[in-house]
Amino acid sequence: MKSVYIIGRDTLPQSISLGEGEQLSLTIVYASALEGAPAEADIPLTVSLDGRGASLDIAGLYICKGESRLRLKVDVRHNACGCTSRQLFKGLVADQAKAVFDGLVYVAHGAQKTSAAQESHAILLSAGAVAENRPQLEIYADDVECSHGATCGQLNDDELFYMRSRGIPEDEARRLQILSFLSPVLSRLPEDLAESIMK
Amino acid sequence: MNEVLLEIKDLHAGIEGKEILKGVNLTIRRGEIHAVMGPNGAGKSTLSAVLAGKPSYTVTSGSVTFAGKDLLAMSPEERAWAGLFLSFQYPVEIPGVSFTAFMKAALAAKRKAAGLPELSPAEFLRLLKEKMAFVQMKPEFIKREVGVGFSGGEKKRAEVFQMAMLEPVLSILDETDSGLDVDALRIVAEGVMNLHTEQTSAIVITHYQRLLDYIVPDVVHVLKDGVIVRTAGRELVAQIEEKGYEGIL
């Protein structure tokens, strides 16, 4: 499997199963301004941790501009004992664009010693932009560690003022803020891809 | 007497419709260090935020002239280019942005505004190392992300490091002593004093005497309820320490 999927260029499997001790790390990228990116994208992905001790590390980055629409539906299913999943999604939504993150963490009956973490954060860059985070946990085992965090917000004014007070012009300061916000996912990408996304 | 660097006249300002500064007058000449003291809620931090141009504050009347220019008409970045520097009470963290990249952007913008060419990478690095040594910052800090994982003392030291890099003519130190132990306080204060020249000025905002033992002010003001209620020489600091604000007014 590839480790980076760019929506519009690569075909992401809809369903992945991980067997005993198997590890998977993957990063999904959607940027409406990238060449080949569809204006509307509906991305369903199910990853099932079916074998004992399997581990998943998944990240996603989306930048929706104009009238673009993105729906990311990620189901992570812990079906076996001792599996680990880490999810981190970061997105920017500008103009009249809309992004929806629908994330389910499912822990089956008997999938003890599960460790699952899900983070999804979106920043709205204009008044007409919409971002929705719908994190869900469905847990049927009792010995599990699950955490999730979801936020929708704006760029922080205090950070912006701090940078401007050092002489960094407002546009450049906003670019640095965006870089700061996206960096945990950007750092997983090849440098040239990260650069073309930041343009 | 040196020329006037900053002149604040009847400044009224506030936030979210609430007036906090109610007619501040203050004149600072080049080479002078002024302390602004006062009880909590007097408007000390508002004064520093308004001078640096924080957009959430509104100036309702009055004027501020800085090096002959209308300070209030300038954006925060233009104020920085003109030589104003605010050392934050609570410096922010910018994860994912290295101190190097941050300082490079700040210095490049300032040099551009002054019509100077950008420093070469080698020149920039040399300057960086020189200024870090100046505030006794460990070299590895520069590779770290801005503010991330810094202790309180390291954050304040990093503020003085930025001050050294940007060489301001007016530095405003907003409660730089808060959260510092004695050693960190001394290093920070010595850094500020070493940067001080006949041409530069500073406003030191503080509650306590201890910072002013190291950064010795020429003039001391007491701000209370949004106005300066007392102005005197440095002897006022000891009086405040002894009698409290109520005792000297």
Side-chain angles (χ1 to χ4, degrees):
Chain A
M1 269 196 78
K2 293 166 69 89
S3 60
V4 175
Y5 285 85
I6 303 168
I7 306 304
R9 292 187 197 171
D10 306 309
T11 310
L12 184 70
Q14 292 202 2
S15 161
I16 299 166
S17 168
L18 299 181
E20 188 173 334
E22 222 178 316
Q23 298 183 356
L24 174 65
S25 171
L26 73 92
T27 308
I28 303 167
V29 176
Y30 173 76
S32 62
L34 276 184
E35 210 184 313
E40 286 198 25
D42 199 348
I43 317 295
L45 171 68
T46 300
V47 183
S48 303
L49 297 114
D50 294 324
R52 186 179 280 263
S55 115
L56 169 69
D57 164 32
I58 184 171
L61 181 157
Y62 52 90
I63 301 176
C64 304
K65 295 183 184 173
E67 308 261 302
S68 61
R69 294 279 178 275
L70 172 70
R71 181 165 172 264
L72 267 168
K73 189 175 185 321
V74 181
D75 287 2
V76 172
R77 307 185 80 85
H78 283 262
N79 295 326
C81 289
C83 296
T84 303
S85 65
R86 296 281 171 269
Q87 300 184 57
L88 175 65
F89 290 85
K90 292 233 167 185
L92 296 176
V93 191
D95 308 320
Q96 273 76 51
K98 182 175 177 181
V100 178
F101 173 78
D102 223 327
L104 172 70
V105 175
Y106 172 89
V107 182
H109 183 75
Q112 306 294 14
K113 307 283 178 199
T114 286
S115 169
Q118 182 202 65
E119 294 268 334
S120 173
H121 305 286
I123 281 187
L124 299 169
L125 294 176
S126 73
V130 179
E132 285 175 24
N133 269 316
R134 299 178 193 146
Q136 291 173 68
L137 293 174
E138 247 182 75
I139 301 171
Y140 300 100
D142 53 14
D143 186 11
V144 300
E145 261 178 49
C146 287
S147 67
H148 69 104
T151 57
C152 275
Q154 273 136 23
L155 290 173
N156 179 305
D157 286 341
D158 288 337
E159 280 175 19
L160 187 67
F161 172 59
Y162 185 76
M163 289 194 261
R164 294 178 73 192
S165 80
R166 298 299 179 251
I168 299 175
E170 190 170 354
D171 287 356
E172 172 71 3
R174 280 191 199 281
R175 206 188 66 86
L176 285 174
Q177 274 187 295
I178 288 171
L179 185 69
S180 166
F181 172 70
L182 297 177
S183 68
V185 185
L186 275 178
S187 63
R188 298 165 62 107
L189 305 177
E191 218 166 287
D192 52 341
L193 177 62
E195 268 172 33
S196 60
I197 288 170
M198 280 303 288
K199 280 180 193 161
Chain B
M1 261 191 168
N2 286 347
E3 63 167 339
V4 171
L5 180 62
L6 183 80
E7 185 155 44
I8 304 175
K9 282 187 182 165
D10 195 30
L11 183 66
H12 291 251
I15 188 164
E16 290 163 359
K18 184 172 182 273
E19 185 172 62
I20 297 170
L21 300 181
K22 299 167 183 169
V24 172
N25 291 286
L26 186 62
T27 302
I28 298 180
R29 294 176 181 277
R30 284 188 188 266
E32 291 177 348
I33 296 176
H34 288 231
V36 175
M37 302 183 75
N40 272 329
K44 303 190 297 294
S45 287
T46 298
L47 179 63
S48 62
V50 168
L51 291 176
K54 191 167 186 178
S56 46
Y57 288 84
T58 311
V59 174
T60 44
S61 67
S63 67
V64 182
T65 310
F66 176 57
K69 289 184 218 152
D70 177 5
L71 186 75
L72 300 177
M74 298 156 85
S75 68
E77 50 269 44
E78 286 168 338
R79 296 177 198 209
W81 302 337
L84 188 138
F85 180 88
L86 171 61
S87 170
F88 281 56
Q89 186 179 358
Y90 304 108
V92 304
E93 296 179 6
I94 316 170
V97 175
S98 73
F99 229 102
T100 310
F102 177 71
M103 280 323 299
K104 208 170 186 174
L107 204 64
K110 182 164 186 175
R111 288 182 67 89
K112 190 179 170 195
L116 295 168
E118 204 169 329
L119 291 179
S120 72
E123 287 170 325
F124 177 71
L125 204 64
R126 204 177 310 129
L127 186 68
L128 214 59
K129 283 184 177 160
E130 179 197 320
K131 302 299 185 186
M132 287 184 75
F134 181 76
V135 290
Q136 302 178 35
M137 265 170 84
K138 294 186 197 112
E140 69 250 29
F141 269 82
I142 207 66
K143 290 190 189 123
R144 305 227 327 238
E145 299 157 288
V146 179
V148 178
F150 285 32
S151 70
E154 286 162 351
K155 279 187 180 171
K156 296 299 170 75
R157 209 180 292 189
E159 292 289 283
V160 179
F161 159 70
Q162 293 179 43
M163 186 176 151
M165 287 292 288
L166 296 169
E167 299 182 322
V169 290
L170 176 65
S171 303
I172 304 166
L173 308 173
D174 187 7
E175 310 228 0
T176 294
D177 46 349
S178 67
L180 289 191
D181 61 33
V182 177
D183 291 335
L185 182 76
R186 192 175 43 77
I187 291 165
V188 164
E190 279 172 3
V192 172
M193 286 312 284
N194 287 335
L195 290 171
H196 185 59
T197 72
E198 269 303 296
Q199 288 305 305
T200 65
S201 310
I203 301 174
V204 184
I205 292 174
T206 181
H207 273 291
Y208 306 108
Q209 177 176 0
R210 56 176 208 160
L211 181 62
L212 302 174
D213 290 340
Y214 298 99
I215 304 177
V216 181
D218 300 294
V219 185
V220 179
H221 309 273
V222 176
L223 188 69
K224 190 175 177 242
D225 296 330
V227 286
I228 287 174
V229 289
R230 182 90 194 266
T231 295
R234 64 186 63 135
E235 67 283 355
L236 186 58
V237 178
Q239 291 175 27
I240 292 169
E241 200 74 7
E242 193 189 329
K243 299 175 184 165
Y245 292 112
E246 295 305 323
I248 55 122
L249 298 177

